[in-house]
Amino acid sequence: MSLLRLRAVLRGPGGLRGPGIPWRIFRSYSSASTKEKANRNGPCERTELLEVLKARAKQLQGSNVPEVTVSKVELAALDNDKYQEAVVPGPKEKQPIPRAQGHGLARSSSWAKRLQKEMYSQQPKMKQELGSAASQLGLENQAKAEATPKTKAMKSSKIPKTKAATAWNQSSGSPQNKPRVVEVKGAAEMKRPQRMPKDKSNQQVLQQTIQANLECFLSLQQAEEAERYLLLCHSSPVKRNVLDVGAFNTVMRIWARKGSLNRLDRLFSILEAAGLQPNLDSYAVALECTGRSQSPPKAILRYLQQLNSSGFHVDELFQKCLFEEDEKEMVLRAIRTVQPNYQLPPPPSPKICKSSLLQDFYSRETMGSYPKLDFSVKELQERFQQQLRMELKNTVTIESVEAAKPLTPQAIKARELLGTLRSQWRDAILQALQSSKRSMARPKRMSKYNVLYPYLCLLPDEEYVDIMLQILNDLSPQGESLAVLARELGSKVYDRYIIQRKLRSGQLEKVQQIYESYIQLLAKDSQPKQYLPREYWEKLVAEAGFGPSLNLKTCSWPCVLLMRLGMHMLELLVKAVKVPRNILNRRLESKPIPVLYHVYSFYSNWQVGLIRPHPIFSQLVSNAAETTLTFNSSAMPMLCPPVPWTSPTFGAFVLNDTKLMRFMDDTTHHQLLLEQCPLVNLHPVLDALNQLGNCAWKINQPVLDIIISIFNDKGDEKLDIPPPLSEAPKPPTPPGNSSMWSKSFKHEVFLCKKKAAEMHSLRMDALYKLSIANYVRDKVFWFPHNMDFRGRTYPCPPYFNHLGNDVTRAILLFAEGRPLGPKGLDWLKIHLINLTGLKKKNALQERLEYANEIMEDILDSADHPLTGRKWWMDTDEPWQALACCMEIAKASRSPDPAAYISHFPVHQDGSCNGLQHYAALGRDLSGAASVNLVPCGLPQDVYSAVAQQVEEFRKKDAERGLKIAQVLQGFISRKVVKQTVMTVVYGVTRYGGRLQIEKRLKEIDEFPEEYLWEASHYLVKQVFNSIKEMFSATRDIQNWLTESAKLIAQSGRTVEWVTPLGLPIIQPYYRSRSTVLNCGMQRLSVKTSNGSQKPDTVKQKNAFPPNFIHSLDSTHMMLTALHCLRKGLTFVSVHDCYWTHALTVDVMNQVCRQQFVALHSEKILQDLSEFMLEKYCSSSSSSTEPIAHWQKRLKEQLSNVPSTGEFNLKQVMDSTYFFS
């Protein structure tokens, strides 16, 4: 997430986030004491009071119990009880459970002695050993005081001995294994028993939390704390259920790094006694420890024999395990201690994708050398170093393109003041953070933030301060949702932690080493190589041999943890940052006041907490008129070719963590699917993403300069250049007392504020894009790509990329230039007319002739864009049209236009691409003709055809005397039905379609307003009927997909399928649940949905048809990208809009059609049916249980694949307007 966010205030005050965030966070009650809030929140406050009374009742009951039975009381987890309840809510207990409440030794001595006696009497038993260790760990506070918060191993703080102390006997006499003593005071504060989670969702979050905590200890090298926490979790019935061998492996890794074999042996024994089977990673860790501690051969042989008896082979350690730092070398050293002649297994021979669609592509016989970039090895090495420096800094500060205001004495003074204040704030935040950490580390009753302590030690203190100051600097005057800021703070810490892990594991050094060799594939002064980027990188990794693995397994932090960490940092920021009240007005008293304050705003029926800056701070920032913007390094285009994708977890940026597949928070099914999928099946998708990311770009400087000049001259809404806030409509003057304000006046004020917020959002968006473009104006850059869960591809940098609007696309050029060739200039002219939208129904030749007729206007636009006739301004895409005019002018004026080197991208658009896929799937003859799958002299316009069909229905109804049909006479046009026709294929409902048509009818001034609802209701019905008649096979397929998804979701499963390229897909639509977080500032209820919840049947059903079609259009695009690579073309796409040089448009068109025919020649629907029958309806032959009724229905539904028509797919090859 970038440091700079658009502060759209489209939902009222406060800039609340809506659809942009997959989870919604709201406050369920407020402690504010206004009458309005009291009335509104009465029931909520009564609920809160009830909760307090219940808690007090339990407390009183607990204090009346003289002795607590140990077997019935769970030991306190590392997490506090509130946190645990938020993560793992359980059913309400009918009987309150007695709870120890004492804070001194007297009250707890009775049961403590009993606990001590029981531990000593049963210590030989393994089960009781676990209980004993866990008991001790529960009594000992988990947060240890640290001398310095560095990533080195931290010493445990000394704990006073007491009479009731218990010793943990160890077999070894090493200093690490001396008996340890604990104070019983903390034991008296045991929490009530944890209850079993009701559903898998709680278990998943709990498992993530435990693993994240253990990895945190691993990063800090806190072996003792990690082991205590692990055994504590093991003593809890709830947590034991979710503990897996991976948790034990994490703790054993810490001991292995220390070479402590005794401690590792003990954990290995506990692991097996717990009923868990050691896996390959367990043996790798054990052997690493023996190698590091140079253990005797007997110990090594014991583990090697156990490895073999578990069914593993020693070679698998090096083939399947992931290593960090020198772990691989230590494992090898151990093995060679007992087998001196052991040799590493040779790297596996590369697997070749067997997809029938790509047999030619992956054939070595037809493979040519990979195309070179126009850079030398040395230049690419320098660019890599620039990119690495940028990512290591985490942020990039650039100059804004906003016209610099004259530097007034007021601005100079404001900047000096801000500089002084920021320096003071940095010290104050650092002091507050360190004080907070000291407080957490003190041995005392566990506070709700103790669980966060290790997470506040992962980075140097200064980095936490930097993150908090960045949030402060980016806060808009309207403020931001407290939950959004908390989430962002937590996410920033996580991102930096991942980078720290990569640095510490030695991954960066290895990436640098391999990238230097990888450059040989791309540099113009190196030998040609017949490898794809992925293949060449994999070859170099295999040759590198030792060192860390590049695919490090990272445990994502659960949303609840990120929120808690962010909330704690936000509270520190709010408390620490203050400003003198009289800083702008010396007549006021010099009293420090908070810079940030916490307020509430209503969002629907919920109160939402906001953080707003004090007006004094906003005024100071405004006066300073600073001219810089700060972005995350991942928000910027790359300055070197991206690291190629080689797996679902490795690729794109050098250091910044990037997912291959974008997915919503806490939804992990996609990642699991990708990890379980054989890597060879993902090769086509990875290679396509690499090909898109390897396209080099540069800036069209003349167009950028014109856009910036208009941007700084009050903008121009007609040209999509947002005006500044100074141009926003001014709210009317209030008529006296606020009690006298009329409803219409209030509404007018609201509209003015809403418009101002929208203008601010759009202005900021344009400012970011133009500033980034200006920053790279003299550079060559790249956009690494990833994809969404359907396989649709997107550039990773979020602000400035070729998927942007007309303004953004106009300032982008291919860095590689190619001569126009004999037809290139004609294609530029046709492309220009396509951008104007003036000749959509005309043949290509007619468009070319029209371009030649208006050549004078084209040249005038190029020469005098702002002072001439301005023909370019009256087009559909004015800025791209202007850029094209300039390119045509240069080419036509060159001595030989065919030899003119052009960098300009020419586009070819699919004709209602979703319907094209439906028509091809169903071999629908009439539908295929409507969407240009059939050759025709003129382009067929499906929207006009539907409008014509609707008009025929209307005429018949009007003749029968239907009033609304008569009213609609003369109002049915292509524009009225276009949006609905376009979105029918993507699952729009009749309700949504009616709203679309109503909006279009409102735009017609002559249409009678009183008939809007009735007319839109009638028209949407006729549009659906027309499409059903024109695309009969399309509706049959859509209905089959919808009904299949409905039955699958009703059975409690999510809809999954595999694309023809082998990409596994799962729909991430689940019922959401709320998790309540009791934070210091306010109580948050976080709505999340993840794969452990039941599927959302309605979303699963409605989304399947459009998502399935999107997965097909992405497959077609990837096939086209890969085959264009084989033809030596530059190719990028914006979904169903394909870009290449003017010289190669004809070749791209041919490839595009070939791949569409090849794709739809596969048995797509039949394969889908077979896959789903196997996944959802298969039952073992030995099973004697009767087949459920739902399973029978689903089997019948999936088996009944829609029949296909007579359309001959090969006709697409000769269709000029299929893509044009």
Side-chain angles (χ1 to χ4, degrees):
M1 194 180 291
S2 167
L3 300 180
L4 289 156
R5 300 174 311 283
L6 304 184
R7 309 294 189 178
V9 198
L10 303 179
R11 294 180 180 268
L16 307 182
R17 295 279 179 91
I21 291 188
W23 36 270
R24 185 177 297 147
I25 303 167
F26 41 82
R27 175 178 162 85
S28 54
Y29 68 87
S30 167
S31 57
S33 57
T34 64
K35 284 185 180 179
E36 180 188 353
K37 287 177 184 175
N39 294 334
R40 196 180 298 227
N41 293 317
C44 295
E45 289 175 353
R46 287 194 290 276
T47 304
E48 182 191 2
L49 178 61
L50 186 61
E51 288 173 359
V52 171
L53 289 172
K54 281 182 180 176
R56 180 61 180 151
K58 283 189 178 182
Q59 187 182 32
L60 292 171
Q61 286 169 337
S63 61
N64 289 331
V65 178
E67 186 170 310
V68 180
T69 309
V70 173
S71 61
K72 290 185 180 177
V73 177
E74 279 304 324
L75 295 163
L78 181 71
D79 322 37
N80 69 298
D81 59 338
K82 288 181 183 176
Y83 176 70
Q84 203 56 48
E85 285 171 15
V87 176
V88 192
K92 296 279 183 189
E93 300 284 345
K94 289 184 180 177
Q95 297 297 326
I97 293 173
R99 181 175 176 182
Q101 284 292 327
H103 294 288
L105 291 175
R107 194 174 295 181
S108 61
S109 61
S110 152
W111 64 263
K113 287 174 184 174
R114 187 170 164 185
L115 170 63
Q116 182 184 7
K117 182 179 177 182
E118 189 174 317
M119 284 168 59
Y120 277 116
S121 64
Q122 300 186 30
Q123 199 168 8
K125 297 178 184 177
M126 179 58 69
K127 187 176 178 183
Q128 290 305 319
E129 180 182 280
L130 283 172
S132 158
S135 299
Q136 175 179 325
L137 300 178
L139 308 182
E140 195 171 3
N141 196 296
Q142 61 91 12
K144 298 292 179 184
E146 295 177 328
T148 52
K150 294 183 179 178
T151 54
K152 295 179 181 178
M154 302 186 183
K155 296 180 180 178
S156 301
S157 54
K158 293 181 181 177
I159 301 171
K161 297 181 180 180
T162 67
K163 290 180 182 179
T166 53
W168 187 0
N169 294 330
Q170 297 293 336
S171 56
S172 168
S174 68
Q176 286 179 326
N177 298 327
K178 287 180 181 176
R180 298 190 300 278
V181 293
V182 292
E183 59 179 347
V184 180
K185 179 181 176 182
E189 293 151 11
M190 290 180 175
K191 311 298 180 187
R192 65 175 174 271
Q194 294 164 321
R195 294 163 297 210
M196 296 300 286
K198 270 178 152 181
D199 54 43
K200 290 181 182 176
S201 169
N202 301 325
Q203 291 185 336
Q204 180 183 325
V205 174
L206 183 56
Q207 189 174 39
Q208 273 186 309
T209 305
I210 291 170
Q211 190 60 39
N213 289 342
L214 291 173
E215 288 196 8
C216 197
F217 290 130
L218 171 64
S219 292
L220 297 169
Q221 282 296 287
Q222 293 180 333
E224 298 281 357
E225 286 81 355
E227 188 171 318
R228 286 191 196 100
Y229 181 60
L230 176 70
L231 295 177
L232 181 64
C233 290
H234 192 275
S235 72
S236 155
V238 175
K239 295 184 178 180
R240 190 187 308 132
N241 260 5
V242 299
L243 273 188
D244 59 6
V245 69
F248 281 87
N249 289 347
T250 304
V251 181
M252 289 194 290
R253 280 179 68 191
I254 314 179
W255 288 121
R257 286 187 188 174
K258 294 175 180 293
S260 180
L261 187 59
N262 287 326
R263 301 300 290 268
L264 189 139
D265 283 343
R266 188 171 178 284
L267 276 174
F268 221 93
S269 303
I270 295 172
L271 165 72
E272 293 171 323
L276 295 170
Q277 290 298 317
N279 62 13
L280 210 52
D281 286 327
S282 311
Y283 294 115
V285 172
L287 290 168
E288 178 211 336
C289 188
T290 60
R292 199 176 296 281
S293 61
Q294 298 186 347
S295 302
K298 185 179 176 183
I300 299 170
L301 278 170
R302 176 163 50 89
Y303 277 115
L304 285 174
Q305 287 164 1
Q306 198 173 341
L307 179 143
N308 288 323
S309 63
S310 297
F312 299 117
H313 190 275
V314 70
D315 284 354
E316 291 180 274
L317 292 168
F318 302 101
Q319 292 166 339
K320 296 180 181 177
C321 292
L322 300 176
F323 298 102
E324 294 187 19
E325 299 178 50
D326 61 347
E327 292 171 354
K328 192 173 186 179
E329 289 84 337
M330 292 299 107
V331 174
L332 187 62
R333 178 199 279 179
I335 294 169
R336 284 182 175 166
T337 302
V338 294
Q339 298 177 25
N341 298 323
Y342 177 78
Q343 293 299 316
L344 284 173
S349 54
K351 293 183 179 177
I352 306 297
C353 177
K354 301 294 183 188
S355 170
S356 58
L357 293 167
L358 290 165
Q359 281 178 346
D360 292 344
F361 178 78
Y362 285 112
S363 166
R364 288 289 161 190
E365 291 76 28
T366 60
M367 190 175 288
S369 59
Y370 194 77
K372 299 287 186 182
L373 295 170
D374 192 24
F375 297 103
S376 66
V377 169
K378 187 180 178 184
E379 287 171 326
L380 286 174
Q381 284 174 345
E382 287 171 0
R383 288 169 179 277
F384 174 76
Q385 292 301 325
Q386 289 173 16
Q387 177 66 28
L388 181 57
R389 283 194 295 272
M390 182 168 76
E391 291 190 41
L392 283 169
K393 283 182 185 173
N394 290 302
T395 60
V396 183
T397 300
I398 65 175
E399 284 294 319
S400 161
V401 294
E402 241 174 346
K405 297 169 185 173
L407 204 56
T408 61
Q410 183 191 34
I412 294 169
K413 186 180 177 185
R415 288 183 188 183
E416 287 173 357
L417 271 175
L418 266 180
T420 306
L421 285 171
R422 281 173 180 153
S423 175
Q424 292 170 1
W425 292 341
R426 178 175 290 279
D427 294 339
I429 296 169
L430 182 61
Q431 194 175 345
L433 175 66
Q434 290 172 343
S435 170
S436 165
K437 286 170 67 175
R438 281 195 299 273
S439 172
M440 288 181 187
R442 256 181 238 129
K444 62 173 185 178
R445 188 180 187 278
M446 283 188 190
S447 73
K448 61 184 170 183
Y449 287 129
N450 273 10
V451 71
L452 300 178
Y453 179 69
Y455 294 91
L456 293 172
C457 300
L458 289 172
L459 308 174
D461 288 349
E462 291 72 18
E463 288 207 36
Y464 293 99
V465 176
D466 285 342
I467 290 169
M468 288 187 262
L469 280 174
Q470 287 158 10
I471 291 290
L472 174 64
N473 291 334
D474 297 336
L475 197 60
S476 74
Q478 290 92 355
E480 182 59 281
S481 159
L482 178 121
V484 169
L485 291 176
R487 180 57 187 264
E488 189 166 349
L489 280 162
S491 297
K492 286 182 187 303
V493 174
Y494 175 75
D495 291 341
R496 293 203 187 191
Y497 156 69
I498 293 297
I499 290 176
Q500 289 281 357
R501 268 197 67 181
K502 290 180 179 180
L503 294 173
R504 194 174 52 251
S505 72
Q507 184 179 332
L508 176 59
E509 289 82 353
K510 190 166 181 178
V511 168
Q512 278 184 287
Q513 171 199 339
I514 293 171
Y515 197 94
E516 284 184 12
S517 303
Y518 170 70
I519 287 168
Q520 301 289 328
L521 178 72
L522 307 172
K524 63 183 178 184
D525 57 346
S526 60
Q527 291 298 313
K529 292 178 175 58
Q530 288 188 319
Y531 287 98
L532 293 167
R534 172 190 54 79
E535 294 171 338
Y536 195 57
W537 187 276
E538 287 172 346
K539 173 180 176 288
L540 294 170
V541 170
E543 289 171 357
F546 288 106
S549 307
L550 296 183
N551 292 328
L552 289 182
K553 270 199 171 182
T554 54
C555 169
S556 58
W557 294 352
C559 175
V560 169
L561 177 57
L562 289 172
M563 292 294 296
R564 280 199 172 276
L565 179 59
M567 280 294 291
H568 182 60
M569 292 171 69
L570 200 52
E571 286 170 17
L572 289 178
L573 188 63
V574 170
K575 288 174 186 173
V577 178
K578 290 185 165 53
V579 64
R581 188 182 172 208
N582 67 342
I583 199 162
L584 295 179
N585 184 352
R586 291 297 172 189
R587 288 175 294 179
L588 299 172
E589 62 175 309
S590 176
K591 178 185 174 184
I593 56 172
V595 169
L596 302 174
Y597 57 103
H598 180 212
V599 297
Y600 298 104
S601 182
F602 282 94
Y603 175 74
S604 184
N605 293 327
W606 297 100
Q607 267 192 306
V608 183
L610 303 174
I611 296 294
R612 281 203 182 135
H614 196 283
I616 288 176
F617 174 67
S618 300
Q619 186 63 50
L620 199 56
V621 171
S622 175
N623 292 348
E626 292 173 313
T627 59
T628 57
L629 299 170
T630 303
F631 294 93
N632 268 357
S633 56
S634 58
M636 303 297 285
M638 286 189 73
L639 304 177
C640 67
V643 174
W645 285 106
T646 55
S647 77
T649 55
F650 184 80
F653 292 99
V654 178
L655 273 176
N656 288 316
D657 193 41
T658 313
K659 299 289 184 193
L660 175 68
M661 188 174 275
R662 304 167 175 213
F663 46 82
M664 292 187 284
D665 298 295
D666 291 346
T667 302
T668 55
H669 270 152
H670 296 101
Q671 198 63 25
L672 290 173
L673 267 184
L674 291 172
E675 287 170 6
Q676 291 164 5
C677 179
L679 196 55
V680 67
N681 292 2
L682 296 177
H683 284 174
V685 171
L686 300 177
D687 292 335
L689 287 170
N690 292 336
Q691 182 52 21
L692 296 171
N694 272 354
C695 175
W697 300 87
K698 69 175 187 176
I699 294 295
N700 189 335
Q701 294 186 16
V703 176
L704 175 63
D705 290 337
I706 295 168
I707 292 171
I708 291 174
S709 70
I710 294 177
F711 180 82
N712 284 325
D713 187 26
K714 298 187 177 180
D716 188 327
E717 288 192 87
K718 184 189 169 189
L719 295 175
D720 206 15
I721 309 290
L725 272 179
S726 58
E727 301 302 302
K730 301 290 184 285
T733 309
N737 195 310
S738 60
S739 59
M740 299 169 60
W741 293 1
S742 66
K743 192 175 180 181
S744 61
F745 174 80
K746 288 178 182 176
H747 185 64
E748 199 175 339
V749 170
F750 167 75
L751 290 178
C752 285
K753 285 184 177 179
K754 184 182 176 188
K755 178 67 176 173
E758 288 171 355
M759 287 175 66
H760 175 69
S761 173
L762 293 170
R763 181 77 176 179
M764 290 295 100
D765 181 45
L767 177 66
Y768 298 166
K769 288 174 178 173
L770 295 177
S771 298
I772 293 172
N774 199 49
Y775 175 72
V776 294
R777 66 182 296 135
D778 299 313
K779 299 179 173 73
V780 172
F781 50 90
W782 287 261
F783 296 125
H785 281 60
N786 63 359
M787 57 188 173
D788 66 13
F789 73 91
R790 304 163 300 189
R792 277 199 149 191
T793 59
Y794 300 85
C796 297
Y799 298 120
F800 176 64
N801 58 61
H802 61 287
L803 260 70
N805 60 3
D806 174 48
V807 173
T808 315
R809 296 184 191 189
I811 52 184
L812 281 168
L813 295 171
F814 291 137
E816 181 191 7
R818 297 206 177 183
L820 284 177
K823 291 180 68 178
L825 184 56
D826 288 349
W827 272 118
L828 281 175
K829 291 174 181 176
I830 292 168
H831 177 55
L832 172 62
I833 303 306
N834 289 345
L835 291 168
T836 65
L838 297 173
K839 299 286 177 181
K840 289 178 180 176
K841 297 180 183 179
N842 295 66
L844 291 184
Q845 187 57 37
E846 290 171 0
R847 297 179 205 180
L848 178 58
E849 289 167 5
Y850 177 70
N852 289 326
E853 287 171 17
I854 60 166
M855 199 64 187
E856 198 176 323
D857 286 331
I858 293 171
L859 295 175
D860 176 73
S861 295
D863 297 337
H864 311 288
L866 300 180
T867 56
R869 284 174 262 179
K870 303 178 187 177
W871 168 84
W872 63 276
M873 290 187 181
D874 297 316
T875 59
D876 282 0
E877 310 281 355
W879 290 107
Q880 289 177 83
L882 174 61
C884 198
C885 288
M886 291 179 169
E887 188 73 1
I888 290 169
K890 289 178 200 167
S892 59
R893 288 166 177 167
S894 66
D896 179 8
Y900 171 77
I901 303 298
S902 174
H903 297 260
F904 200 84
V906 174
H907 311 169
Q908 295 286 279
D909 257 320
S911 174
C912 202
N913 192 236
L915 280 172
Q916 287 180 327
H917 283 284
Y918 267 125
L921 280 173
R923 303 294 193 272
D924 186 345
L925 199 54
S926 64
S930 300
V931 289
N932 294 299
L933 297 188
V934 177
C936 190
L938 291 172
Q940 297 300 299
D941 182 19
V942 66
Y943 310 117
S944 298
V946 171
Q948 192 176 338
Q949 182 73 52
V950 170
E951 175 60 18
E952 287 177 19
F953 288 151
R954 186 207 64 78
K955 279 181 183 174
K956 288 177 185 175
D957 290 339
E959 287 166 8
R960 289 206 305 268
L962 187 65
K963 175 71 174 173
I964 194 62
Q966 294 167 350
V967 170
L968 277 164
Q969 183 174 352
F971 291 111
I972 295 173
S973 65
R974 179 184 189 273
K975 187 177 180 181
V976 168
V977 303
K978 179 181 176 180
Q979 190 181 8
T980 307
V981 175
M982 190 190 302
T983 51
V984 157
V985 65
Y986 297 124
V988 76
T989 59
R990 294 203 177 200
Y991 174 78
R994 190 198 70 74
L995 292 176
Q996 291 170 343
I997 290 172
E998 183 181 65
K999 193 175 180 182
R1000 298 287 83 83
L1001 291 174
K1002 276 182 183 176
E1003 293 168 359
I1004 304 172
D1005 295 335
E1006 298 79 22
F1007 190 80
E1009 195 174 331
E1010 63 272 19
Y1011 288 106
L1012 274 175
W1013 191 92
E1014 195 179 352
S1016 57
H1017 188 269
Y1018 170 80
L1019 281 181
V1020 76
K1021 181 182 172 185
Q1022 300 309 334
V1023 167
F1024 274 63
N1025 288 340
S1026 301
I1027 291 172
K1028 192 171 182 180
E1029 193 165 301
M1030 292 171 62
F1031 296 88
S1032 55
T1034 295
R1035 296 303 292 179
D1036 290 344
I1037 294 169
Q1038 205 169 18
N1039 292 337
W1040 180 72
L1041 293 171
T1042 303
E1043 188 61 25
S1044 300
K1046 177 184 169 186
L1047 292 172
I1048 290 168
Q1050 283 175 346
S1051 74
R1053 311 280 291 276
T1054 47
V1055 179
E1056 292 182 40
W1057 69 99
V1058 177
T1059 71
L1061 273 187
L1063 178 68
I1065 291 176
I1066 181 170
Q1067 293 196 142
Y1069 310 120
Y1070 306 95
R1071 296 181 191 173
S1072 61
R1073 65 185 290 271
S1074 293
T1075 302
V1076 177
L1077 302 181
N1078 289 312
C1079 301
M1081 276 199 272
Q1082 70 171 58
R1083 181 182 178 191
L1084 290 175
S1085 185
V1086 185
K1087 272 197 173 182
T1088 55
S1089 62
N1090 60 48
S1092 301
Q1093 303 290 342
K1094 288 184 178 178
D1096 185 320
T1097 305
V1098 174
K1099 284 185 180 176
Q1100 290 282 346
K1101 169 178 75 81
N1102 290 340
F1104 183 38
N1107 285 341
F1108 183 69
I1109 294 301
H1110 278 313
S1111 74
L1112 289 184
D1113 73 41
S1114 80
T1115 300
H1116 176 222
M1117 185 280 295
M1118 289 181 179
L1119 286 169
T1120 305
L1122 293 173
H1123 285 87
C1124 282
L1125 165 63
R1126 281 286 173 259
K1127 301 272 187 183
L1129 274 64
T1130 298
F1131 174 90
V1132 290
S1133 81
V1134 180
H1135 304 317
D1136 61 347
C1137 177
Y1138 298 171
W1139 297 16
T1140 191
H1141 287 95
L1143 172 71
T1144 52
V1145 171
D1146 289 314
V1147 182
M1148 183 184 75
N1149 274 333
Q1150 183 189 21
V1151 171
C1152 164
R1153 285 155 178 76
Q1154 285 171 347
Q1155 296 315 309
F1156 187 86
V1157 171
L1159 170 63
H1160 284 283
S1161 296
E1162 299 283 302
K1163 300 180 297 176
I1164 294 175
L1165 292 179
Q1166 194 62 44
D1167 289 346
L1168 176 67
S1169 168
E1170 290 171 9
F1171 172 83
M1172 288 185 156
L1173 282 167
E1174 173 67 26
K1175 180 155 190 69
Y1176 301 109
C1177 301
S1178 63
S1179 54
S1180 59
S1181 54
S1182 60
S1183 174
T1184 55
E1185 292 181 18
I1187 298 173
H1189 176 63
W1190 67 264
Q1191 214 166 2
K1192 285 181 183 174
R1193 281 182 62 202
L1194 181 56
K1195 195 169 185 178
E1196 287 171 13
Q1197 171 65 24
L1198 292 174
S1199 302
N1200 189 23
V1201 180
S1203 56
T1204 55
E1206 303 298 320
F1207 171 61
N1208 180 6
L1209 262 182
K1210 291 185 179 175
Q1211 288 184 274
V1212 172
M1213 292 301 303
D1214 301 315
S1215 174
T1216 304
Y1217 302 102
F1218 165 62
F1219 266 64
S1220 65

